[in-house]
Amino acid sequence: QSLLTQPPSASGTPGQTVTISCSGSNSNIGRNTMNWYRQLPGTAPKLLIYNNNQRPSGVPDRFSGSKSGTSASLAISGLQSEDEADYYCAGWDDSLNGWVFGGGTRLTVL
Amino acid sequence: QVQLVQSGAEVKKPGASVKVSCKASGYTFTLYDIHWVRQAPGQGLEWVGWMDPNTDNTGYAPKFQGRVSMTRDTSISTAYMELSTLTADDTAVYYCVRLVRKVIIYYFDSWGQGTLVTVSS
């Protein structure tokens, strides 16, 4: 049972905007920056968002992150079929003294 | 460019140990912590622990304490993770990842390709 809670699945049609939530507590999201990773089947996760809302170079601006209190979210606008993947939120937890990941959200493009 | 290249797949019997290597290139090995994350088949990501290649300091997730050891060889820019007393629940893909630290901003920016460890009798 992860300390970060994500919905197991999300879906949308091409062109739509989808938002994936990540709920935590004061020991993780409330005090530390959050990151998001995308994992395509059979491959290693890849950094999508860091420091709550920053995109690494090469990540399209269709992807955006935000954080408020003990919750974070990832928004994907202009949904494309290649966005089908698993998405994970992650951050440091002060109580655990270690990194925690959300359980992951599988995004389906209908 | 930054690359982390891991050793190949392993098959181990219950009770055995496994040692996975992670060779870094494209940056100064001792300037970035290396973490290990694992993913059981069809499951999510789970943090195992970290190592500072410069100081050899380590930190492990509570559930792996006493069973995991992270080491490094700076002469060949390689990090190692050894997990002992394996059970079927340890069957997973193990990733080494590089941690970027900028003041209070922390994130994993580069991942190895993963090493599948299968524990089976």
Side-chain angles (χ1 to χ4, degrees):
Chain A
Q1 201 149 336
S2 176
L3 295 179
L4 300 177
T5 302
Q6 296 181 236
S9 64
S11 63
T13 55
Q16 267 191 334
T17 296
V18 168
T19 300
I20 297 172
S21 62
C22 176
S23 176
S25 67
N26 284 323
S27 66
N28 41 65
I29 299 178
R31 286 191 193 152
N32 300 297
T33 62
M34 292 303 295
N35 309 311
W36 290 88
Y37 298 88
R38 178 165 81 166
Q39 185 177 33
L40 298 171
T43 68
K46 180 183 172 185
L47 180 65
L48 201 59
I49 296 286
Y50 69 96
N51 189 27
N52 304 323
N53 55 21
Q54 303 296 301
R55 286 186 309 276
S57 65
V59 173
D61 59 6
R62 300 189 297 108
F63 294 90
S64 62
S66 64
K67 186 183 99 164
S68 177
T70 58
S71 293
S73 62
L74 171 72
I76 308 171
S77 62
L79 205 58
Q80 301 177 4
S81 58
E82 52 261 42
D83 295 331
E84 280 207 340
D86 293 327
Y87 293 83
Y88 294 91
C89 58
W92 180 263
D93 188 282
D94 291 339
S95 296
L96 179 67
N97 205 30
W99 282 82
V100 288
F101 289 89
T105 298
R106 176 151 295 177
L107 175 63
T108 302
V109 181
L110 303 169
Chain B
Q1 75 284 18
V2 174
Q3 267 199 310
L4 299 173
V5 179
Q6 299 182 221
S7 48
E10 303 262 13
V11 179
K12 296 291 182 182
K13 293 197 182 307
S17 297
V18 68
K19 190 170 186 176
V20 180
S21 69
C22 170
K23 183 170 176 58
S25 62
Y27 70 99
T28 302
F29 179 60
T30 52
L31 291 182
Y32 296 83
D33 294 351
I34 290 288
H35 290 238
W36 291 85
V37 174
R38 76 177 188 179
Q39 186 172 35
Q43 302 300 309
L45 302 169
E46 180 178 31
W47 180 73
V48 179
W50 65 273
M51 182 206 59
D52 180 343
N54 185 44
T55 63
D56 203 25
N57 286 340
T58 57
Y60 306 129
K63 73 177 285 186
F64 300 103
Q65 284 278 0
R67 214 163 59 91
V68 69
S69 175
M70 294 178 185
T71 57
R72 91 295 194 219
D73 184 338
T74 56
S75 69
I76 55 172
S77 300
T78 299
Y80 303 93
M81 183 210 64
E82 185 168 20
L83 189 62
S84 62
T85 322
L86 293 168
T87 71
D89 288 343
D90 293 315
T91 294
V93 175
Y94 290 76
Y95 295 101
C96 61
V97 290
R98 188 180 84 155
L99 178 75
V100 172
R101 215 177 351 202
K102 297 177 182 176
V103 192
I104 61 167
I105 300 169
Y106 303 81
Y107 56 94
F108 301 132
D109 72 331
S110 298
W111 296 63
Q113 84 276 20
T115 296
L116 175 61
V117 175
T118 303
V119 183
S120 173
S121 55

